[in-house]
Amino acid sequence: MPQGSSSAPSAGYRAVFAVTEFRAVFAAHLLSLLGVVVSELALTVLVYDLTGSPLLSALTFALGLIPYVIGGTLFAGVADRYPARRVLVTCDLICAACVAVMLVPATPVAGLLVLRCLVAAVAPVFTGTRMAALTDILGEGDLYVLGRSLLRIVSQSAMLVGFGVGGVLLAALSPRGAITVTVVTFLCSAVLLRFGTRDRPARAGAGGGPLLRESLAGARLVLGDRRIRALMLLSWLPAMFVVAPEALAAPYADRIDAGPAAVGLLLGAMAVGHVGAELFVGSALRPRTRSRIVLPVAAVGLLPLVVYAVRPGLPLALAALALAGMGAAYVIGLDQWFVDAVPPELRGRAMTLLTAGLMTIQGLGMALAGLAAEFFPVHQVVAASGIIGTAVSLLVVAEVRRTAHGQVSDIEGRDGADRHVTSG
């Protein structure tokens, strides 16, 4: 098991913000993420206003997850084939254009849903390219891990803040007026990335082959490597089960007579636990310690959900969800293992595939939880997710252990390189 060779303390989040390029990436991420959350809410309301159909309104959310696997598999080659800055700016401009067309009153509902799919298909390419570009900006050691952590914390926080902002905008503006904000955020993100980051060459040459063939070949190489595949599964499979209580928050609040306000608390508790734990792990623990806790925490992180077996009231349920959210902090150490395992020329494709798989499997987990709740009580479904998820996690942990031979990462050596990057 790679545990790193450094006993030095973590460089800390402040050192990450000292890197000028990362500040631009961070600001762009914050803007585009808030824009996406606001647009999802506003588009859902717009589709419902136009059709009066709850099904089509709900489908708007689902279409934000389904195209991930398509875009992440078929277009992953873009991340390594072209310079990262060009890819990131182009993705932002494509998304801005798609959202701008949504503003046209003549755009039919079917067109709105297609445009939603296009934005979702671009998202994994953008995210994977940005993840790979961070290794150029921050190095491959502790600063990279903390930079990824900060972006993840922003993503979790945006779910708490973004819907609130979206609600305020919808109270003041029409749905299309709120969607206009998203166009602005995508354009601002593109400007920040274009002028705030360096233009670096592509990780891999164009190769002369079709992009689709190159993307699929990269996916085969990534998934064909036992070590990389095991690390991906460790990222994906626990996430598949941990979404069950979020997917079933509304029916569970109804079952325990907690009232509508409880739904928001149930949806936010896990994110609060995740953000708090990740901040602690990233700022207080040494790189070697973060590495050591990956497998133990991944193995038991879903156990708090078993509390649902006794059909807990709201306070106990919130505590269980916060603990489950804290369990997701193992990913901060997993990030280092993943970047160690993937060759630089495959990094963009691997990280695009990782992102696409994670979003897709979370969507599948939500769907399966909802299906199970049609036949079994909600609290039993959530508890079963904790039990089955723990069993699956233990199997994946065992596989990661088996593939760990020779994968010890030299964090200490890279930490020195990271300090050099920071001072630039």
Side-chain angles (χ1 to χ4, degrees):
M1 176 177 61
Q3 295 179 353
S5 56
S6 175
S7 59
S10 168
Y13 289 116
R14 185 179 301 178
V16 181
F17 278 117
V19 182
T20 304
E21 283 187 274
F22 178 79
R23 293 200 297 270
V25 172
F26 182 86
H29 176 62
L30 179 61
L31 282 171
S32 62
L33 192 60
L34 284 174
V36 166
V37 174
V38 169
S39 70
E40 286 178 347
L41 181 60
L43 187 59
T44 300
V45 173
L46 177 60
V47 169
Y48 184 75
D49 287 347
L50 292 174
T51 65
S53 169
L55 174 62
L56 288 175
S57 180
L59 186 61
T60 305
F61 268 113
L63 289 176
L65 296 175
I66 295 171
Y68 260 80
V69 68
I70 299 173
T73 303
L74 301 185
F75 307 128
V78 170
D80 291 317
R81 192 173 192 175
Y82 301 102
R85 188 176 73 177
R86 186 190 309 172
V87 173
L88 294 173
V89 172
T90 301
C91 286
D92 267 337
L93 294 178
I94 290 173
C95 291
C98 289
V99 176
V101 176
M102 293 179 187
L103 299 175
V104 179
T107 304
V109 172
L112 293 174
L113 297 180
V114 169
L115 291 166
R116 178 77 178 95
C117 285
L118 289 175
V119 172
V122 169
V125 178
F126 179 90
T127 304
T129 303
R130 184 186 60 208
M131 287 168 62
L134 281 182
T135 61
D136 297 323
I137 295 171
L138 300 173
E140 298 178 4
D142 195 44
L143 287 190
Y144 167 78
V145 172
L146 294 178
R148 285 276 295 122
S149 172
L150 281 169
L151 296 184
R152 204 160 37 237
I153 288 169
V154 169
S155 297
Q156 290 289 325
S157 302
M159 298 304 296
L160 299 173
V161 177
F163 286 124
V165 172
V168 171
L169 287 173
L170 286 172
L173 305 170
S174 67
R176 281 195 168 92
I179 293 173
T180 304
V181 174
T182 303
V183 180
V184 175
T185 60
F186 277 129
L187 292 176
C188 289
S189 174
V191 170
L192 282 168
L193 293 170
R194 171 61 180 82
F195 296 103
T197 61
R198 286 173 48 196
D199 187 18
R200 296 178 174 87
R203 295 180 175 277
L211 176 61
L212 177 59
R213 182 190 304 169
E214 188 174 327
S215 298
L216 294 176
R220 283 194 296 269
L221 286 171
V222 169
L223 295 176
D225 184 289
R226 186 179 178 185
R227 174 66 177 174
I228 298 174
R229 185 172 64 247
L231 295 177
M232 282 187 160
L233 290 174
L234 190 59
S235 176
W236 292 344
L237 292 180
M240 179 181 183
F241 295 95
V242 80
V243 296
E246 293 181 327
L248 300 175
Y252 187 73
D254 180 61
R255 296 295 187 279
I256 62 174
D257 298 320
V263 178
L265 294 174
L266 291 169
L267 287 172
M270 198 174 292
V272 170
H274 186 170
V275 170
E278 185 139 0
L279 283 171
F280 172 78
V281 171
S283 59
L285 300 186
R286 300 170 185 268
R288 175 176 289 179
T289 306
R290 292 202 299 261
S291 189
R292 283 175 172 166
I293 68 172
V294 170
L295 297 186
V297 173
V300 302
L302 294 170
L303 283 178
L305 299 185
V306 179
V307 170
Y308 270 74
V310 300
R311 194 177 176 181
L314 184 61
L316 184 55
L318 292 176
L321 292 175
L323 285 173
M326 291 170 65
Y330 77 91
V331 177
I332 192 171
L334 184 62
D335 283 338
Q336 182 67 66
W337 295 5
F338 192 74
V339 79
D340 286 347
V342 179
E345 65 275 9
L346 280 176
R347 202 164 281 159
R349 279 166 285 183
M351 292 180 174
T352 299
L353 194 61
L354 177 68
T355 301
L358 181 61
M359 295 300 294
T360 302
I361 207 162
Q362 284 181 317
L364 178 61
M366 290 180 178
L368 290 175
L371 178 62
E374 292 289 327
F375 302 96
F376 302 98
V378 171
H379 69 283
Q380 292 182 6
V381 173
V382 177
S385 296
I387 295 169
I388 298 171
T390 298
V392 171
S393 297
L394 288 170
L395 292 174
V396 179
V397 164
E399 173 65 6
V400 172
R401 286 187 182 277
R402 285 192 291 268
T403 63
H405 180 68
Q407 292 290 333
V408 178
S409 61
D410 185 11
I411 297 177
E412 185 172 15
R414 281 194 302 272
D415 281 348
D418 283 347
R419 285 191 291 271
H420 177 71
V421 171
T422 303
S423 63

